[in-house]
């Protein structure tokens, strides 16, 4: 399936963000892949560092919002090490697709699935969220957790998520967002751009990847912009809730 019809033939001349840098669109995916190849083994520690451990609470709120039930099917995009998929199954959700564009991340998720005894309930496969290899109207829930900001064409990911949702299905995105408490911004910036890369160098021997991850958060659309993007993709009743003062947010939209 080729979904590139809306893009020009000279796509290689188009630029996009890679953190604070501008790069050719056709280069970004390999650059993001290199980042996650580097941090895959330390991904959970990375999230603990970036959120001071609060991401675990955010994910529990996110999974609760999904409303897991045995008769519902989940597609977890950019599923990484499997936190959302495993939480879905633990709370009684039905069959799940655990997917990621990065083989290194998916390998970590697969190992954890074996350890937790979830393999029979999970289909694991490598998927680019811009071109999902599932039929139209085939799943009940689509999630992406801390992954949308790394996608080159976020609008295509949102459109694909809507396409594969059944009528009455729901898309949810958990992502770092825009802090809405101005007094905390200097502290948040110092943590993101000074402390985090240094800690990343110590723990993962890769400060540059952590620098990119911090920058990618700042380049991600704010809450209202992402809401509008979801509506433009055809999702309806779009809402969001801020977490920890907007450090992260959960966006929700339905296919009616």
């Amino acid at each position: 399936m080729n979904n590139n019809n809306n893009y020009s033939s000279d796509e290689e001349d188009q630029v996009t963000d890679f953190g604070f840098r501008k790069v050719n669109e056709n280069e970004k995916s390999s650059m993001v892949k290199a980042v996650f190849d580097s941090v895959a083994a330390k991904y959970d520690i990375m999230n603990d560092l970036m959120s001071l451990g609060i991401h675990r609470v955010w994910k529990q709120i996110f999974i609760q919002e999904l409303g897991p039930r045995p008769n519902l099917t989940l597609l977890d995009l950019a599923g990484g090490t499997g936190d959302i998929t495993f939480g879905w199954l633990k709370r009684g959700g039905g069959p799940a697709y655990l997917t990621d564009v990065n083989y290194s991340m998916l390998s970590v998720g697969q190992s954890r699935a074996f350890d937790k005894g979830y393999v029979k309930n999970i289909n694991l496969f490598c998927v680019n969220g811009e071109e999902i290899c599932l039929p139209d109207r085939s799943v009940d829930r689509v999630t992406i957790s801390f992954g949308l900001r790394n996608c080159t064409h976020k609008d295509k990911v949102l459109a694909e998520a809507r396409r594969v949702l059944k009528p009455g299905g729901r898309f949810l995105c958990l992502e770092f967002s825009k802090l809405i408490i101005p007094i905390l911004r200097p502290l948040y910036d110092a943590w993101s751009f000074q402390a985090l890369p240094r800690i990343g160098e110590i723990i993962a021997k890769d400060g540059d990847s952590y620098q990119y991850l911090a920058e990618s958060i700042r380049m991600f659309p704010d809450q209202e912009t992402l809401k509008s993007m979801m509506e433009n993709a055809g999702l309806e009743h779009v809402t969001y809730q801020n977490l920890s003062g907007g450090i992260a947010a959960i966006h929700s939209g339905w296919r009616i």
Side-chain angles (χ1 to χ4, degrees):
M1 177 174 60
N2 186 343
N3 289 332
N4 293 326
N5 294 335
N6 294 330
Y7 295 87
S8 64
S9 59
D10 60 342
E11 186 177 31
E12 64 273 11
D13 295 327
Q14 302 299 311
V15 296
T16 188
D17 60 274
F18 180 78
F20 291 161
R21 297 164 54 191
K22 292 295 183 182
V23 300
N24 288 340
E25 286 187 347
N26 62 347
E27 296 176 344
K28 179 171 178 176
S29 61
S30 62
M31 295 171 74
V32 170
K33 179 181 183 298
V35 168
F36 283 92
D37 281 343
S38 174
V39 305
K42 301 287 186 180
Y43 183 73
D44 292 326
I45 296 175
M46 177 193 74
N47 278 340
D48 282 332
L49 289 173
M50 294 180 74
S51 70
L52 297 178
I54 302 172
H55 77 99
R56 299 178 185 273
V57 176
W58 297 340
K59 287 175 179 175
Q60 291 306 309
I61 296 171
F62 186 68
I63 293 163
Q64 181 66 33
E65 280 292 310
L66 284 172
R69 295 201 301 273
N71 63 325
L72 300 179
T73 302
L74 170 70
L75 168 61
D76 187 10
L77 296 173
T81 57
D83 283 352
I84 303 305
T85 295
F86 302 151
W88 165 267
L89 294 172
K90 184 177 180 179
R91 295 198 184 197
Y97 298 99
L98 172 57
T99 75
D100 202 286
V101 73
N102 186 279
Y103 283 106
S104 298
M105 294 293 293
L106 200 58
S107 177
V108 175
Q110 183 179 40
S111 296
R112 293 185 69 200
F114 275 108
D115 291 343
K116 293 177 178 292
Y118 285 141
V119 175
K120 67 179 182 180
N121 300 311
I122 298 175
N123 291 295
L124 294 99
F125 54 98
C126 199
V127 166
N128 181 343
E130 297 180 14
E131 296 184 28
I132 300 171
C133 51
L134 288 175
D136 295 357
R137 305 182 179 191
S138 57
V139 297
D140 300 286
R141 298 286 186 270
V142 177
T143 57
I144 187 164
S145 173
F146 302 118
L148 186 58
R149 73 180 189 279
N150 298 305
C151 299
T152 303
H153 301 116
K154 299 171 182 61
D155 54 342
K156 292 180 69 176
V157 176
L158 297 173
E160 279 287 273
R162 183 192 179 277
R163 179 185 67 78
V164 300
L165 277 173
K166 298 176 183 177
R170 190 180 185 191
F171 168 78
L172 287 106
C173 172
L174 170 61
E175 187 56 88
F176 289 107
S177 198
K178 301 301 179 185
L179 186 65
I180 59 174
I181 305 175
I183 196 172
L184 295 181
R185 286 175 185 160
L187 179 62
Y188 186 45
D189 286 344
W191 173 255
S192 299
F193 298 116
Q194 297 178 36
L196 188 60
R198 292 176 185 175
I199 296 171
E201 182 63 39
I202 293 169
I203 292 179
K205 309 302 181 186
D206 185 0
D208 289 344
S209 289
Y210 285 76
Q211 180 74 27
Y212 157 73
L213 291 166
E215 292 176 0
S216 69
I217 293 170
R218 299 308 194 276
M219 296 301 294
F220 190 69
D222 63 22
Q223 290 89 325
E224 284 293 329
T225 302
L226 181 56
K227 179 177 182 287
S228 295
M229 291 172 65
M230 290 172 60
E231 291 169 340
N232 290 339
L235 293 162
E236 299 185 48
H237 303 302
V238 178
T239 59
Y240 64 84
Q241 59 174 305
N242 287 314
L243 304 172
S244 302
I247 293 177
I250 296 172
H251 280 71
S252 167
W254 298 82
R255 175 168 184 169
I256 304 302

